[in-house]
Amino acid sequence: MASESDFFLTHINVNAEFQQHADELMSNARKEHKKINDVVSSFKSKVDKMIDKQRIEYIQAYESHMQDVQRELHTLRDKVNEMANNHTKNERTEKLKAEIIQFKSDALQLETDSDYLRTHMAKTVHKIYTVVCELAVLPQTYEVLAAALTEVAPKDTETTEVNADEEDEFLAYHHSILNWNVGDSQNDNEVE
């Protein structure tokens, strides 16, 4: 026979007389259990549908957000590249400006040097021309003087000697002039 511990949870006596009553109570409990299982399974399916729907919405929102982030990232990269190009262009422009200034100063210095060399060359050419002219005139002067001395000179030996001395003085004088002109151009070269 059943002990009291068998009836502890349900408080139902399994005797024949209560068997019918127990079946009715259990059928009600089974109906309620079935309803609760239906509600739970319905709730579970609704929750699963909501989770799936939210997961899809979340994935769509995430993809949309990532596309926005990627667009913004591309925009920022383009801006950074543009700024880097502008910075490089600015540096290059500044470098070219500095080179232009250097080239201008070099050109001015070269122009100054060339002007100095032109004037120095003109002076040297003038001195050379003067010396050449004097050298060209000198043989003619010697011939004229020699002819003049021979015509004017008396036949006398003493006078001839004096005239020879005068001729030597004349030649020494012109020779000193030539040395002075040549020496002057050499002194100019040493000074420079």
Side-chain angles (χ1 to χ4, degrees):
M1 188 147 205
S3 68
E4 287 186 25
S5 63
D6 291 337
F7 304 110
F8 175 71
L9 288 174
T10 58
H11 299 291
I12 300 172
N13 191 354
V14 199
N15 291 336
E17 42 190 73
F18 293 109
Q19 189 68 28
Q20 195 175 12
H21 183 46
D23 286 338
E24 287 178 17
L25 287 176
M26 283 305 283
S27 70
N28 283 339
R30 285 187 187 116
K31 285 179 187 176
E32 292 299 321
H33 182 263
K34 187 177 178 186
K35 285 181 183 178
I36 289 174
N37 281 340
D38 289 342
V39 168
V40 166
S41 66
S42 172
F43 182 72
K44 183 180 180 217
S45 67
K46 287 181 181 179
V47 167
D48 288 341
K49 286 178 184 177
M50 278 180 36
I51 288 173
D52 289 341
K53 183 181 176 186
Q54 287 180 353
R55 183 180 297 132
I56 291 170
E57 288 176 356
Y58 175 77
I59 289 172
Q60 289 174 347
Y62 179 76
E63 288 174 353
S64 174
H65 175 69
M66 289 309 294
Q67 287 175 354
D68 291 342
V69 167
Q70 285 180 350
R71 269 189 246 119
E72 188 174 342
L73 182 64
H74 286 296
T75 304
L76 290 175
R77 281 184 187 163
D78 291 342
K79 285 181 182 178
V80 166
N81 288 337
E82 185 179 336
M83 288 172 60
N85 288 339
N86 287 340
H87 183 68
T88 304
K89 285 178 186 176
N90 289 341
E91 285 179 353
R92 200 169 191 198
T93 303
E94 293 300 320
K95 184 178 177 184
L96 291 174
K97 285 180 182 178
E99 286 180 359
I100 287 171
I101 291 170
Q102 181 64 37
F103 289 149
K104 282 183 180 178
S105 74
D106 290 348
L108 288 174
Q109 182 62 39
L110 289 173
E111 188 174 348
T112 304
D113 292 346
S114 68
D115 288 345
Y116 171 75
L117 290 174
R118 274 192 211 111
T119 56
H120 179 67
M121 193 166 74
K123 288 178 185 178
T124 305
V125 166
H126 178 68
K127 287 179 184 179
I128 290 172
Y129 178 75
T130 305
V131 169
V132 167
C133 287
E134 287 178 3
L135 287 175
V137 171
L138 194 60
Q140 293 170 354
T141 306
Y142 286 144
E143 289 175 7
V144 169
L145 285 176
L149 287 176
T150 54
E151 286 178 11
V152 176
K155 304 282 182 199
D156 189 35
T157 57
E158 288 178 18
T159 315
T160 307
E161 288 179 18
V162 171
N163 286 338
D165 289 338
E166 286 178 3
E167 186 178 348
D168 288 339
E169 285 178 20
F170 178 78
L171 290 175
Y173 171 74
H174 279 288
H175 184 64
S176 68
I177 290 175
L178 285 176
N179 284 338
W180 179 77
N181 283 337
V182 171
D184 186 33
S185 63
Q186 288 176 351
N187 288 339
D188 287 345
N189 287 339
E190 289 173 4
V191 168
E192 294 168 3

